[in-house]
Amino acid sequence: MANTALPSRASIAGRLDELPFTRRHLRLLTGSGVGWALDAMDVGLISFILAALTQQWGLTKTDAGWIASVGFIGMALGATLGGLLADRLGRRQVFALTLLIYGIATGASALVGGLAALLVLRFLVGLGLGAELPVASTYVSEFAPARIRGRLIVILEAFWALGWTAAALIGFFVIPASDDGWRWAFALGAIPAVYALIVRWGLPESPRWLASRGRIAEADRIVSTFEADAGVEPGPAIRREPVSRAIAVTTRARLTTLWNAEFRVRTLCLWIVWLCVNFAYYGAFIWIPSILVDAGFDLVRSFGFTLIITLAQLPGYAVAAWLIEVWGRRTTLSVFLIGSAVSAVFFGTSTTEAAIIASGMALSFFNLGAWGALYAVTPEIYPTSLRGTGSGWAAGVGRIASIVAPLAVPVILVAGGAPVLFAVFGACFVAAAAAAWGLVDRRGVALDDR
């Protein structure tokens, strides 16, 4: 039998990086991924619900835009607070709490009778959702072995496609079935409230975070369970590393450290990428069903086209997951962003059904592959003591663009129509591709555990 003993046991980080992929990694990836898929289902559902409510409630484009944007206001606040809390309280605790908040708010949305109540609940949904996404990617990144870390984060992001596909199926089969179809869609979105309990008790805390807080014994026990699952023999006691190794130990220090000489370029470039990608992605995908309805397709047919377009997300993630460990983070991210730009221009100028579907599928393929690479690179460029803060603030700043996008789309459509709208999205993707080269590429390199 091959010797599976680890060559280095000097630290928690080293032991995690040298592990093979185990069943516990799979359980952690799946557990986090299901939460991610449920998040995507919630975001995806609102794009279909908007198209239905616009007809049923007689909403204006401005009303519909606010229903989408108020959720992103919550997401912006949730992402910034969630990242800070994850660095202070732990990754798992915040992960479970955020799932619970937005799951309950989504279920309650099924009972609303007017626009005002729906806006309040969509804000709460966004608050939970915005905090969960950067925390989940940070959490999985801190467990993943260095040689496959990027690939695992892209696979985690691929669960987004599963959730969005579920939303498209609900949009196609459930929402048009009756006047209350949108209420049933919201009710299905309450599933995360139940799942949050599973997450809270079924997944371990991040050993890297525990070690950074001086809780070495707890971190050691968790890593030991992964080693036992891999058949690795117990090694000597680990070296106790002082808490002072962390480069930031207070909330204020974490926020200011993001802009010191070491991190300011990567922080600026990361924020630019997040802003541009959020504006183009949410501006396009939240409005695609409604844009197709306005183009003359009925509700069912519009939802059917959107379902087909959504299915192209999965191969986009699969290719990005392979390339990210071959080309590296920056090259993969920039190539997929350029592909998104070209696809957006073609989609905006398409007039036939075949062209709409083909260009829409290409946009899904490249855009979601880019999202996978972005979520992989974001937590890697910061040390453990401010990883949640850095990831959360990047996501939070990006959400500013996702707030603006649903409100800007109707204005741009009136001014120049779909060709101009998607040309703007294409320009955003190009700007993001340029900014990606200011990020640090840590392919195959151990995470910074300061």
Side-chain angles (χ1 to χ4, degrees), residues 10-11 23 44 47 54-55 82 84 88 91 110 121 174 185 199 233 247 253 285 290 303 310 330 339 349 449:
S11 67
R23 287 175 297 178
S47 67
T54 297
Q55 294 186 350
L84 289 168
R88 182 169 183 174
R91 304 352 183 174
L121 289 170
V174 177
V199 172
E233 297 179 2
I247 64 172
F285 283 89
S290 298
F303 286 2
T310 299
R330 288 180 301 194
T349 55
D449 278 298

Side-chain angles (χ1 to χ4, degrees), residues 346-363:
F346 276 107
F347 184 83
T349 55
S350 297
T351 55
T352 65
E353 291 185 12
I356 289 171
I357 292 174
S359 58
M361 291 180 72
L363 182 58

Side-chain angles (χ1 to χ4, degrees), residues 123-139:
F123 173 79
L124 294 176
V125 167
L127 194 65
L129 177 61
E132 194 276 331
L133 294 178
V135 172
S137 60
T138 297
Y139 178 71

Side-chain angles (χ1 to χ4, degrees), residues 223-246:
V223 176
S224 294
T225 62
F226 278 76
E227 291 171 332
D229 197 38
V232 174
E233 297 179 2
I238 63 173
R239 181 180 73 253
R240 184 178 182 88
E241 298 177 0
V243 177
S244 60
R245 189 168 184 267

Side-chain angles (χ1 to χ4, degrees), residues 55 288-303 305 350-354 356:
Q55 294 186 350
I288 279 178
S290 298
I291 290 172
L292 292 175
V293 169
D294 291 343
F297 299 103
D298 62 39
L299 199 64
V300 174
R301 202 169 188 188
S302 168
F303 286 2
F305 285 176
S350 297
T351 55
T352 65
E353 291 185 12
I356 289 171

